[in-house]
Amino acid sequence: MDPIDIVTRYSFITNKLRYCGPHDSFLQFLEYIKTKDKKLIPLIKNQITRFEGLYPYLELIAKKHNLDVFDYKVSEAYWIGNELLDVFDESDLKEMIMSLSKRGLPKSYAQKLCEDVPKGMLPHHSFNVIYVGVGKITGAVEFNIENINNCMIRYGEVTKLNKSTAVIKHQPYKFNEGKLVLGNEIIEELEYLPEFNDLKFGEVVSIHWNFVVDKINEKQLNNLKKYTKINVDALHYK
């Protein structure tokens, strides 16, 4: 389990789209994924510290468990979900939100978020997407259901592979009477890089911004479902 591989994989597409992090970091990320060249690690670590939303979450999770920020389990907890998240409460999330106000989140908006943090939410990527709000830190995209689906780490099944795309069966989210719920299953053609994964028909993968990130095993799939659901169920849009 490579701690640099996981953090670069999940950060790759948002940087390529220029939504967060130093411009063109994705080029070094891709090179590392392809070669595992250890000489790239100091540069990549420095680049990750400059990702506006990501790094404060990694710091929070690492500090809580006395782990290195770049420990594999720390990145897995944030992007996919694991047991490291189980010890957090609303006071931790308020601390996180105010940390984000030093990274681009408007301070007045951060203070408003802190006033009503839903009980039970955890510092999983889905918290940043649906409560802090996709695009709210950098202003790169609008906060709407399309971008919630784009940014949320979701799962899907490979039904067909092409040269640079994969046809994936997955469930997008939708709003139903002000609540976020899973919609009907759809089949969609998404961007795919063979350098990232040697995919096969029927495999389960994670998706981020219409990009196939990684194959996930059964435990990771169950954790992704579990921790996303915890945050979605705790949230009530007003």
Side-chain angles (χ1 to χ4, degrees), residues 203-215:
E203 288 184 317
V204 178
V205 296
S206 53
I207 307 163
H208 194 203
W209 285 99
N210 299 314
F211 179 77
V212 178
V213 178
D214 203 3
K215 291 184 281 191

Side-chain angles (χ1 to χ4, degrees), residues 4 6 35 43 58 89-90 119 122 124 156 203 217 232-233:
I4 302 302
I6 187 172
T35 67
L43 172 62
L58 299 183
D89 58 26
E90 295 86 74
K119 186 176 178 59
L122 300 170
H124 183 249
E203 288 184 317
N217 60 38
V232 168
D233 287 352

Side-chain angles (χ1 to χ4, degrees), residues 1-14 29-30 32-34 36 41 44 48 51 54 58 61 68-82 84 124-125 153 196-197 206 208 211-217 220 223-224:
M1 296 187 294
D2 184 339
I4 302 302
D5 183 89
I6 187 172
V7 78
T8 53
R9 278 178 184 274
Y10 283 89
S11 306
F12 172 84
I13 191 62
T14 50
F29 294 174
L30 181 58
Y32 182 82
I33 289 164
K34 289 163 59 178
K36 298 298 186 288
I41 292 177
I44 288 171
I48 291 296
F51 273 65
L54 168 64
L58 299 183
I61 297 167
D68 185 86
V69 174
F70 291 95
D71 189 289
Y72 179 91
K73 295 292 286 184
V74 170
S75 289
E76 184 186 55
Y78 176 67
W79 289 113
I80 299 171
N82 62 35
L84 295 187
H124 183 249
H125 178 66
I153 306 300
F196 264 58
N197 295 286
S206 53
H208 194 203
F211 179 77
V212 178
V213 178
D214 203 3
K215 291 184 281 191
I216 53 176
N217 60 38
Q220 289 175 321
N223 277 337
L224 180 57

